[in-house]
Amino acid sequence: MGAFDSSSLSQFVQLGLQGISTGAIYSLVALGLVLGYKATEVLNFAHGDVLMLSSFAAWYFIVEAGLSFWLALPLVVLLAALLCWLLEARVMRAIVGQPQFAGVMLTIGIGFMIRGGTSMVFGPDSRSYPTPWSGRTTTLGGAVVADLNLVILAAALGVTALLFVFLQRTALGVAIQASSQNQLASYLCGVRVKRLNSLVWAISGAIAALCGILLAPISLVDLSLWFVMLKALAALVLGGFGSVPGAILGGLLIGLTEQFSGVYLPDGFKDVMPYLVLIAVLVFFPRGLIGEAHGRRV
Amino acid sequence: MSRGNYQASYAEGRALLRTREQRLLYGALAAVLVVAPFAIPTFYVGEASFIFIMCIASLGLMTLTGFTGQVSLGQAAFLGIGAYTHAQLLTLGLPLPLSLLAAACTAGLAGLAVGLPAIRVSGLHLAVVTLAFAIVTEHVAGRWKSVTGGHSGLAVPDPVLFGFSLGGPLPFYFLCLAMLALVLWLLLNLTRSATGRAFVGVRDSEAAAQGLGIHVARTKVLAFVISAAVSGLAGALLAHQTQFITPESFGLALSLQLVLMVFIGGMGSLRGAILGALLIGMLPSLISLAKPLLPARIGSQFGLELFVYGAVLVFFVLLEPRGIDGRWVRIRSALDAFPLRRRGGFRRQKAYMRSERG
């Protein structure tokens, strides 16, 4: 009986760790979405496609071009940031002031183009690339965890901490916060709103790229990688739209829900549970768990 | 100048087709649609039926998104529910008309279930709820093997009406055409009724609609029910078209395609829904026609199709945000007022979804 207890405990720990590490990915993706949403009020449906494209780019640099992982990582992150900067500055800006639905449609269209383009350039096969942590595991509290999962967790913590410091302690970060609260007022105070919006999109793209690079070795470099966006969307809504801590909490909750429902609930619930939780939360707490108070909506 | 802008009698005001020109034009269109299947190759008859079905589905979504302003990114779920209900009921031996009706009703009930959250959430939140609902529905269809056959699919019996099989391309074409005409006629009258006006009121301003005594919550849910029922009907017909249904055929791709049709056609116009369905429905065929002209590597159908869909969507959002219907209306009124064209007569005024920041 004792053996059973310890094995179920270690299973619990294992599931928890796994849930937290997949949740960390969802949190990171959702974080990128929230940043873009807060700055430009556009929910970027192409976010998952940028992530997917980055993983293909990383595969190209590492496997085809033979670069080392540590060289490919910043390169891809920079390229994704550049892509998103250009998207915001050249494309999204054309629809500023139009109804929110236009932004949704435009980013869906851009996402389709990125996915279609990737499929045309790289072909539809899935593939993989080596990382410094591939195939290595660590034993933690009786649970065996792939090192990659720990790296993801560390990266998520690192990015969140960096962003926190950036947004709270630097002049640029405070300007970003100001312009996301009231663009006109911050513009009148001398904040260069347009450039900041592009910068925020670039940061969000860089985060997406980081997620793509770290997620691809676990799942596979594949077109369907953009599906992580749907989970991130669930995380985002769960935490309350436009709330950074909410997005992180939501991501972790979704990750944990997914892992635990895969084991403790009947077969098939693993894929559906995040969305069921999402619907339930939205119906009972329409503002999310840590929602920002919306004022009038008339 | 006889565009039906002025009415001389109540009967004229109530008529769907107001002028003789309109009656002649739409009569000619109907005649062409009836004669066409006898003149074109069988393959294109099948394609035309498919486009009619897409028109019905797109009309359903237009009622919801275009008229009531409720965005649904999960419309394919309603098509799926309609399709599975229809296939099961036909297998049980229910006659075709009853089964179609039941499929529409079941989908309508599902619409009721999805519409209830719409009372509490709106805008992007609602879009996400419908998206989640569609994903859940697809997974359930994949798992509930005793009813849906799971991922291996479900064969759909041939449609039979009063002892005649409607399974062939020609009879099926006319079945779809008749259904499209019926749905279009019903929705045309709906949009002119008090309910339809309430839909538009809720879209344009919930507060104003409430102030005018419109029951906003009930109106929204009703829009969901009607839209889902129409989509369910389209799904039932689509089941016949494909003859074999799998959960994947009612996935996210179809939902997004429908949103594309509605948006590209032009929000808030039934004509737009049909034009959009026409364009998006024909796109795959057009792409296959253009494929031999492209290098082999780019010719991978999936990627190219997706890319073209995306490019068309981006084009319309950036350059033609009122869709094909908006362009149509502008050309028509320019022709009407021919020598006296006025600039700026078509400034954008309506907002279908407003900022959440207030």
Side-chain angles (χ1 to χ4, degrees):
Chain A
M1 199 60 201
F4 175 76
D5 272 342
S6 83
S7 86
S8 78
L9 182 69
S10 74
Q11 186 193 28
F12 194 83
V13 173
Q14 172 117 28
L15 283 176
L17 280 174
Q18 211 127 50
I20 288 175
S21 100
T22 36
I25 282 277
Y26 300 155
S27 299
L28 267 189
V29 180
L31 194 65
L33 279 175
V34 169
L35 285 180
Y37 179 73
K38 280 182 79 111
T40 53
E41 216 171 316
V42 170
L43 185 60
N44 184 3
F45 274 85
H47 199 69
D49 298 281
V50 173
L51 186 154
M52 186 269 301
L53 179 64
S54 316
S55 78
F56 271 90
W59 170 83
Y60 177 79
F61 285 126
I62 293 172
V63 175
E64 290 280 293
L67 295 185
S68 87
F69 179 82
W70 292 111
L71 207 59
L73 179 78
L75 195 61
V76 173
V77 168
L78 268 182
L79 283 178
L82 187 68
L83 173 72
C84 285
W85 177 293
L86 288 178
L87 270 184
E88 205 287 323
R90 297 269 168 246
V91 183
M92 299 309 298
R93 196 158 297 162
I95 60 153
V96 165
Q98 281 189 28
Q100 216 170 23
F101 190 48
V104 173
M105 295 315 288
L106 186 55
T107 50
I108 287 180
I110 293 170
F112 276 12
M113 287 177 80
I114 294 179
R115 219 176 312 152
T118 313
S119 163
M120 280 195 279
V121 173
F122 291 99
D125 322 310
S126 47
R127 58 205 82 195
S128 180
Y129 54 80
T131 62
W133 312 282
S134 295
R136 294 209 308 226
T137 54
T138 306
T139 310
L140 265 181
V144 183
V145 190
D147 277 6
L148 255 170
N149 284 344
L150 295 179
V151 170
I152 288 173
L153 198 54
L157 285 176
V159 168
T160 313
L162 259 179
L163 264 181
F164 182 79
V165 172
F166 173 65
L167 288 177
Q168 301 285 338
R169 297 273 179 270
T170 65
L172 198 57
V174 173
I176 287 178
Q177 286 200 47
S179 100
S180 81
Q181 276 171 18
N182 191 332
Q183 294 198 342
L184 185 60
S186 49
Y187 180 74
L188 294 175
C189 292
V191 173
R192 288 193 268 193
V193 174
K194 285 189 204 165
R195 192 177 295 181
L196 276 190
N197 284 352
S198 304
L199 178 69
V200 171
W201 269 58
I203 293 174
S204 134
I207 295 176
L210 185 69
C211 293
I213 293 170
L214 291 178
L215 185 60
I218 296 182
S219 54
L220 271 181
V221 181
D222 189 81
L223 286 177
S224 62
L225 216 52
W226 76 275
F227 270 116
V228 71
M229 156 91 190
L230 296 179
K231 300 276 171 58
L233 212 55
L236 184 64
V237 172
L238 201 59
F241 253 85
S243 147
V244 173
I248 293 168
L249 181 70
L252 290 178
L253 279 179
I254 292 281
L256 285 170
T257 316
E258 209 178 29
Q259 292 299 330
F260 280 100
S261 58
V263 173
Y264 295 109
L265 285 176
D267 198 24
F269 267 95
K270 184 180 184 222
D271 301 321
V272 182
M273 209 53 204
Y275 304 109
L276 289 179
V277 170
L278 162 70
I279 293 176
V281 166
L282 268 188
V283 172
F284 295 112
F285 312 92
R287 300 248 190 278
L289 296 179
I290 315 181
E292 292 210 322
H294 288 293
R296 65 188 184 96
R297 231 195 268 181
V298 174
Chain B
M1 199 48 231
S2 62
R3 277 287 174 193
N5 291 334
Y6 306 104
Q7 286 122 34
S9 66
Y10 284 113
E12 215 173 295
R14 280 201 304 270
L16 277 174
L17 300 172
R18 286 184 183 156
T19 62
R20 202 168 49 163
E21 274 169 54
Q22 279 180 337
R23 279 193 288 273
L24 279 175
L25 267 175
Y26 282 98
L29 179 65
V32 167
L33 285 177
V34 170
V35 175
F38 298 103
I40 58 176
T42 317
F43 172 75
Y44 289 105
V45 176
E47 287 288 292
S49 320
F50 175 71
I51 287 177
F52 289 156
I53 297 169
M54 284 297 117
C55 283
I56 298 177
S58 146
L59 283 172
L61 184 58
M62 185 61 90
T63 315
L64 185 64
T65 305
F67 285 103
T68 323
Q70 311 291 304
V71 178
S72 163
L73 295 180
Q75 202 70 8
F78 299 128
L79 271 90
I81 290 169
Y84 279 114
T85 313
H86 185 57
Q88 280 299 339
L89 290 179
L90 275 190
T91 318
L92 288 178
L94 217 64
L96 183 73
L98 281 184
S99 177
L100 282 176
L101 195 63
C105 289
T106 319
L109 280 180
L112 182 67
V114 183
L116 288 176
I119 300 172
R120 304 208 37 166
V121 298
S122 61
L124 278 176
H125 290 69
L126 182 64
V128 175
V129 170
T130 54
L131 189 68
F133 168 73
I135 294 171
V136 172
T137 309
E138 196 188 336
H139 278 288
V140 169
R143 287 276 165 186
W144 196 3
K145 294 210 171 78
S146 57
V147 172
T148 65
H151 290 282
S152 44
L154 182 67
V156 184
D158 261 1
V160 176
L161 190 61
F162 305 127
F164 296 104
S165 168
L166 299 179
L170 263 183
F172 187 63
Y173 173 93
F174 284 108
L175 176 65
C176 292
L177 184 59
M179 282 297 155
L180 174 59
L182 177 71
V183 167
L184 185 59
W185 179 71
L186 286 177
L187 288 183
L188 265 176
N189 280 318
L190 176 78
T191 50
R192 308 188 309 160
S193 69
T195 315
R197 308 264 192 241
F199 285 175
V200 175
V202 167
R203 174 192 74 191
D204 288 345
S205 167
E206 274 181 32
Q210 182 101 55
L212 290 170
I214 294 170
H215 198 305
V216 172
R218 194 188 297 153
T219 306
K220 280 185 181 176
V221 174
L222 184 64
F224 259 99
V225 171
I226 291 174
S227 157
V230 171
S231 300
L233 182 67
L237 290 173
L238 192 62
H240 285 307
Q241 167 83 15
T242 52
Q243 294 180 344
F244 195 77
I245 45 179
T246 55
E248 287 80 34
S249 43
F250 302 102
L252 197 52
L254 183 60
S255 296
L256 289 181
Q257 240 175 14
L258 287 171
V259 179
L260 232 71
M261 287 172 192
V262 171
F263 189 82
I264 285 174
M267 287 301 212
S269 145
L270 292 178
R271 192 197 299 119
I274 289 185
L275 290 175
L278 213 60
L279 179 68
I280 297 296
M282 286 195 306
L283 216 48
S285 311
L286 291 179
I287 293 172
S288 346
L289 282 181
K291 229 169 45 167
L293 307 173
L294 294 167
R297 193 177 166 75
I298 295 187
S300 92
Q301 181 79 22
F302 170 73
L304 184 64
E305 230 172 73
L306 208 56
F307 187 82
V308 173
Y309 278 137
V312 168
L313 185 53
V314 168
F315 170 83
F316 271 94
V317 176
L318 291 180
L319 300 175
E320 197 81 85
R322 257 164 307 182
I324 308 174
D325 180 66
R327 175 57 58 185
W328 167 289
V329 169
R330 254 178 290 178
I331 291 177
R332 201 181 57 190
S333 54
L335 285 179
D336 267 0
F338 165 56
L340 306 168
R341 202 165 78 87
R342 196 158 60 94
R343 275 182 176 279
F346 280 95
R347 287 264 162 66
R348 195 182 171 91
Q349 285 169 343
K350 284 175 189 156
Y352 297 111
M353 237 177 108
R354 283 168 311 280
S355 161
E356 305 236 328
R357 244 181 235 167

